[in-house]
Amino acid sequence: MGAGAAARGSEWTPEAQRQVRALTSAFNDPFRPAEDRARMAERLLQLGEPGAAALASAVDTELARALPAYEEAFERSVAAFLRSETREHAGAIREHRRTLQQLRQRRNLSREDITGAGDAALEALRRILLPSASDVLGADERLASARQRIERLSGWKEAAHRILARAPVRVRQELEDREREMAGVALYRVSRGEPVLRHNLRQKGELSEAEWAGVRETNLTRMLAGLNPLRIDPRLCVAARDHSKDMHTLNFFAHESPVAGKREFTDRARRAGTSARAENIFQGSTRGEAAVRGWWTSPGHHRSLMEPSHGFVGLGHHEGNWTQKLR
C-alpha cells in the first residue's frame, strides 16, 4: 500500500481495521465454499483502499500457487488431447499434408494456389494439431474448474487495482499466451521435435521478442505440414539482422546488397562465420508472424520456407525489414 493509502487507512476505526483482518482471514480459508469467498471479496472491495489492498495481496499469494499448478496440468492435458486428435484424424492429417506437399512440388505454383488450397489445408491442420484452450478445457472438467478459479481471482485483482489506481492486471492475457505456447510445445512433442525446441529455448535470449515469434511461427507452419522444425543458428540471425538494417539504412529491398563484401546472401552468411542455402526477405511490418505469412504466400519464398532438407534458420529484423536465412 502506498503512503497516501496508508495514511487514509490509519484514519479508520479499530473496528473497521478488525473487519479487514477478519474478512481477509475468511477469504484465505481454502475450505470455504466459492460463493462465500466471493462474498468476502466483495465486502473487502466495499471497504475501500485498505480492503482492496488486503484482497490484492491475498489474491497474489493464491495466484502464485494456482498458476504454476494450472500450467503443469494444462500441459499434460493438451498433450493427451493432441495424441487423441492425431489418432482420430490421422487420415485427414495425411490428406492435408499431401496437398501441401503437392503444392510445393508444383512447377508453376502461384499465389492463388497457396492462398486457396494451401491456406485451406494449413488451417484444417491448425484446427486439429493446435487445439485452442477451450478445446482442451472442454475435454477436462477438472482443468476447466481450475481455470475458472484463476478467472475469479483475476477478476477480484482487477477490481482491487481499479480502486487502488494500480497498473492494469494482465493475468488473463498472459495465461492465454501461455496456453497457446503450451499447445505449440505439444506439437513439437508429437512431431518428435523436442530436441530442437530445447536447443531453440537456449538460443532465445539471442533474439528479440518479434524475431522469436517469427521463428516460432516458421516452425509451427513446418510441423503442421509434417516437416521438421528448424534449429536457430545465432550466426545466421546476425547476418539476417545486418542485411535488414542495411536495407533500411540504404533504402533498398533486394537479396543483392550494394555493400562491399555483402553482395550475395552467401557472402553475408560467410561474414558471420556460417553458411546459408537460401534467403527470404520481407518489408512492411514489425511482427515476425506477418513476415512468415508474407513468405508463405509468395511462391518462391514459400518453397524456401517449406524446403524439407533445411535444418537451421536465422531471423533478423530492423524497423519493418525482415531477413530469414536458411540452410
Side-chain angles (χ1 to χ4, degrees):
M1 189 184 302
R8 285 188 288 276
S10 66
E11 298 169 2
W12 276 46
T13 65
E15 173 60 21
Q17 294 172 12
R18 186 196 66 76
Q19 285 185 45
V20 170
R21 289 194 296 271
L23 289 168
T24 304
S25 177
F27 177 83
N28 287 332
D29 181 357
F31 301 105
R32 187 173 291 274
E35 297 80 3
D36 287 355
R37 297 191 77 213
R39 284 194 291 272
M40 300 302 106
E42 289 303 319
R43 289 176 64 184
L44 282 166
L45 293 170
Q46 290 167 6
L47 291 174
E49 290 187 6
L55 178 62
S57 178
V59 166
D60 280 341
T61 298
E62 190 166 345
L63 283 172
R65 297 190 301 268
L67 284 169
Y70 172 79
E71 290 180 7
E72 183 178 342
F74 185 92
E75 192 167 2
R76 289 194 303 269
S77 189
V78 72
F81 184 90
L82 190 51
R83 286 193 296 271
S84 174
E85 289 292 285
T86 53
R87 287 194 298 268
E88 182 178 348
H89 300 287
I93 292 170
R94 285 194 298 271
E95 186 60 33
H96 295 313
R97 285 176 169 173
R98 188 179 300 114
T99 296
L100 295 178
Q101 180 183 21
Q102 291 170 347
L103 284 179
R104 291 196 304 274
Q105 296 171 344
R106 188 173 295 178
R107 186 169 299 178
N108 58 343
L109 179 64
S110 69
R111 182 182 296 269
E112 290 71 25
D113 293 332
I114 298 169
T115 57
D119 275 356
L122 188 67
E123 182 56 32
L125 289 164
R126 195 178 294 272
R127 285 195 299 270
I128 298 170
L129 298 173
L130 284 177
S132 67
S134 60
D135 292 333
V136 177
L137 296 172
D140 190 331
E141 186 176 340
R142 189 171 180 179
L143 186 68
S145 178
R147 183 64 155 81
Q148 290 167 3
R149 176 191 173 198
I150 291 172
E151 287 281 341
R152 288 194 298 270
L153 291 168
S154 177
W156 291 329
K157 184 173 180 177
E158 289 167 4
H161 275 221
R162 284 194 295 270
I163 292 172
L164 297 165
R166 291 181 182 174
V169 175
R170 288 183 45 82
V171 173
R172 299 174 202 259
Q173 181 59 53
E174 290 172 359
L175 185 56
E176 289 170 3
D177 291 344
R178 282 289 294 134
E179 288 166 340
R180 282 191 292 270
E181 184 178 333
M182 286 185 283
V185 169
L187 181 56
Y188 272 95
R189 287 177 175 163
V190 300
S191 304
R192 300 178 182 176
E194 281 190 279
V196 175
L197 177 61
R198 288 194 294 269
H199 168 86
N200 287 353
L201 287 171
R202 290 194 295 269
Q203 306 299 327
K204 186 176 181 179
E206 301 293 324
L207 281 67
S208 70
E209 185 175 334
E211 290 166 351
W212 174 257
V215 170
R216 179 180 182 274
E217 186 66 17
T218 293
N219 277 341
L220 289 180
T221 302
R222 288 177 62 89
M223 289 187 294
L224 288 172
L227 302 176
N228 60 298
L230 305 177
R231 294 175 184 264
I232 295 170
D233 180 345
R235 297 166 299 177
L236 286 178
C237 293
V238 169
R241 207 172 289 129
D242 185 59
H243 186 57
S244 295
K245 185 177 181 180
D246 283 347
M247 287 194 294
H248 173 77
T249 304
L250 301 176
N251 194 29
F252 75 97
F253 181 68
H255 293 286
E256 187 173 295
S257 172
V259 181
K262 302 181 185 179
R263 182 179 177 85
E264 304 294 338
F265 74 86
T266 51
D267 298 331
R268 298 188 287 275
R270 192 177 305 112
R271 282 171 60 97
T274 185
S275 62
R277 294 174 55 200
E279 179 182 83
N280 289 332
I281 56 175
F282 175 83
Q283 189 176 62
S285 176
T286 58
R287 297 180 62 252
E289 297 93 338
V292 176
R293 175 64 184 173
W295 296 324
W296 166 265
T297 58
S298 171
H301 296 95
H302 181 96
R303 288 196 176 93
S304 295
L305 180 71
M306 305 301 286
E307 167 56 49
S309 65
H310 289 328
F312 290 86
V313 65
L315 196 61
H317 85 106
H318 186 83
E319 301 295 336
N321 292 278
W322 287 85
T323 305
Q324 182 185 59
K325 304 185 82 66
L326 304 139
R327 79 164 192 278

